[in-house]
Amino acid sequence: MGAFIAAATGFPTVVFTAALAVVVLYWLLVALGAADAHGHGHAHVHVHIRGHAHANARGHGGDRGHGYGRWLGGVPVTLAFSLFVAVGWLISFCVSVLLVPPGPAGVLVGAVVLIGTGYVSWQATKLLVRPLHRLFPDEHGPSRLDFVGLTCTIRTGWVDAGFGQAEVRSADGSAATVQVRQTGNDALASGSTGLLYAYDEPGEFFWVAPYDSALDPRTGPGGNPG
């Protein structure tokens, strides 16, 4: 047991041992429900007061697939990194026991082993995650542009060319508070219904107009509300 601990805490294996301890702690938290294995939350889209959107739709938007971080082979970064560390620790431990001598010479040999282990572990991890890719199909998180064409509920006392907020619900049922503006002087007060008909990228707000259900082909006369 003493030889095992000495090898696990000696250079260069100690580098991977420390990383492995973090990985094991992380997955313990996942098992206890205190962390998310994919690094994401539930489906929510929040557009803050200045119009900056956070998208969390089964993940964090901006990265490929499910909106959460991807790495080798298109799998979650947490899984790929865990495999990289586990493989690296095993290789480093075995090579250290067999090849790294004690004393000053061991530092030089250990540095070479560390570099080589990192490269081999990287290559091995790429091979290991390839068959796992099909378990994580590509999906795209929600976008602010998805709100264009939806109705909203005004949440401020008025809406003009420089001020206004509204609440909108996306197709998946998640709600968001967005910045809204209008070009005219229509009566858009708190509680009234508006239609988001365009999005202004530079200003990070939506153009809104009063919503008239009678003019909506989906709900108006002859329309099919379903």
Side-chain angles (χ1 to χ4, degrees):
M1 188 65 179
F4 175 87
I5 295 176
T9 57
F11 183 77
T13 309
V14 66
V15 176
F16 286 97
T17 299
L20 186 62
V22 174
V23 167
V24 170
L25 177 61
Y26 172 78
W27 287 109
L28 284 175
L29 292 175
V30 170
L32 295 174
D36 194 319
H38 293 156
H40 61 71
H42 296 290
H44 281 295
V45 176
H46 299 292
V47 182
H48 291 293
I49 233 169
R50 296 183 60 186
H52 295 287
H54 275 303
N56 289 320
R58 296 189 179 278
H60 195 345
D63 288 324
R64 188 171 70 88
H66 285 298
Y68 54 79
R70 297 293 187 113
W71 195 34
L72 300 175
V75 302
V77 64
T78 50
L79 177 58
F81 180 73
S82 298
L83 288 173
F84 173 79
V85 170
V87 172
W89 183 89
L90 182 60
I91 295 174
S92 180
F93 179 84
C94 293
V95 175
S96 294
V97 171
L98 296 174
L99 299 180
V100 178
V107 177
L108 179 60
V109 176
V112 175
V113 170
L114 180 62
I115 296 173
T117 297
Y119 175 78
V120 173
S121 179
W122 173 274
Q123 299 301 322
T125 302
K126 288 196 293 186
L127 292 176
L128 291 172
V129 300
R130 283 176 185 171
L132 299 177
H133 174 64
R134 62 179 179 273
L135 300 178
F136 304 94
D138 292 338
E139 294 179 5
H140 297 286
S143 165
R144 283 174 285 185
L145 296 179
D146 294 337
F147 291 145
V148 175
L150 299 182
T151 57
C152 63
T153 302
I154 305 301
R155 294 306 185 197
T156 51
W158 73 92
V159 176
D160 56 26
F163 175 80
Q165 290 184 1
E167 183 180 288
V168 59
R169 290 191 174 274
S170 62
D172 64 5
S174 58
T177 299
V178 300
Q179 298 294 310
V180 293
R181 305 288 185 266
Q182 68 160 324
T183 57
N185 296 309
D186 296 305
L188 288 170
S190 180
S192 62
T193 302
L195 176 67
L196 304 177
Y197 64 88
Y199 179 68
D200 187 284
E201 289 279 358
E204 296 186 324
F205 60 80
F206 292 88
W207 290 108
V208 65
Y211 173 72
D212 187 345
S213 60
L215 300 178
D216 191 330
R218 299 170 297 179
T219 59
N224 181 9

